[in-house]
Amino acid sequence: MSDHDIEASDAEERMAASTSDASLRRSLERSAEIERAIATDPSKFRIMTGDRPTGNLHVGHYFGSLANRVRLQNAGVETFVLIADYQVITDRDGTGPIKERALSLMADYLAIGIDPSRSTIYAHSAVPALNQLMLPFLSLVTDSELRRNPTVKAELDDSNGRPMSGLLLTYPVHQAADILFCKANLVPVGKDQLPHLEQTRVIARRFDERYGRAVPDRPVFPQAEALLSEAASVLGMDGTKMSKSKGNTIDLSMDATETAQRIKRAVTDADRFITFDPTNRPEVSNLVMIGALCTGRTPESVADEIGNGGGGGLKKFVTEAVNEFFAPIRARRIELAADPGYLLSVLRAGNAHANEVADATLADVRAAMNMAY
Ligand code: TRP
């Protein structure tokens, strides 16, 4: 076995291990430690996160990740938010109305409180030096590592027999470039994304081992860590994963009437008495949870209050709670969406800053690789 093989199989084991229970517990403990460190000194951290511009952000995104990003930004952590436009073509043919979707995502971001004076919002495709990192990074991963990546496998399984494209296979490497171009050391993610972060750390470490450093004592890239949130995952109105393609979402961009219609069609069950019991009553409990998140109450107290009100009482409560909670965000979003010129100007400013950062990183990479001509 060559050195390289040893290196690769170690990494594969670590990646497999990163989804095991023990390692999940470690990641959660580490996340709690990081939260304490942020409270002490937010300037030690740089966060990178983002979304594909494939459709509207919804309540599931909001409670699953967006609210947490805004909290971290407001705690003083420098934040980079990626509109992952190139990633859209990993698992679909063509881009769709991508510019409109990128601007719609921008409107969602600004409406929820991502503040462009504190956070850099930028698009993949506008940052050439970020994409150029992909080339040396590809030299640091093996074909079998990529094929084993659980997220790549999951996306391939979901793609209805569509053959694996080169971009789908290598998108964890591209995602590593997203994270490392700005030398981010913290990525707020759900646990399904842990293998990506492990792959990113492996790439950073191998770059250091193989190509060296631009400055003697300092590796070019940091070891990026996951910040797992404790957020409950919110399901769609049919009790399955909230997803645009299933028509089961409640979007940030919907109005009160559309929201009421979606919730009216939500699946409940035959038991009139409302309880919070996610294992045995997933659909009802999901609605209770959404009501709780929007009112800042515990799901148990929401369930108690509705009690004998049945599915109708539950839906009425949830509709009012969602509409009230999201009203200010939606009002801001309407204003923002009416001014695409402004949205574009925010994106251009973010792109300009991202390019400066990416150019500086690429200069370090060239220096480390002895390619600074
Ligand atoms: N994979 C994320 C999504 O599907 C988007 C994304 C791309 C991302 N690059 C990233 C998230 C880097 C965190 C870090 O929405």
Side-chain angles (χ1 to χ4, degrees), residues 135-136 139 207 211-214 363-373:
L135 211 148
S139 76
F207 184 89
Y211 297 119
R213 302 175 174 197
D364 287 350
V365 165
R366 287 180 172 137
M369 296 177 80
N370 196 24
M371 290 177 179
Y373 306 120

Side-chain angles (χ1 to χ4, degrees), residues 28-55:
L28 282 168
E29 280 162 15
R30 180 65 195 136
S31 294
E33 250 171 62
I34 294 170
E35 289 285 358
R36 289 192 290 275
I38 290 173
T40 317
D41 184 3
S43 72
K44 291 220 173 76
F45 297 95
R46 183 178 268 188
I47 283 179
M48 194 275 145
T49 164
D51 303 277
R52 299 177 189 193
T54 50

Side-chain angles (χ1 to χ4, degrees), residues 225-245:
E225 293 192 271
L227 183 61
L228 286 172
S229 84
E230 306 268 349
S233 71
V234 169
L235 302 172
M237 292 302 102
D238 55 358
T240 70
K241 188 171 181 221
M242 197 178 270
S243 151
K244 177 181 146 69
S245 58

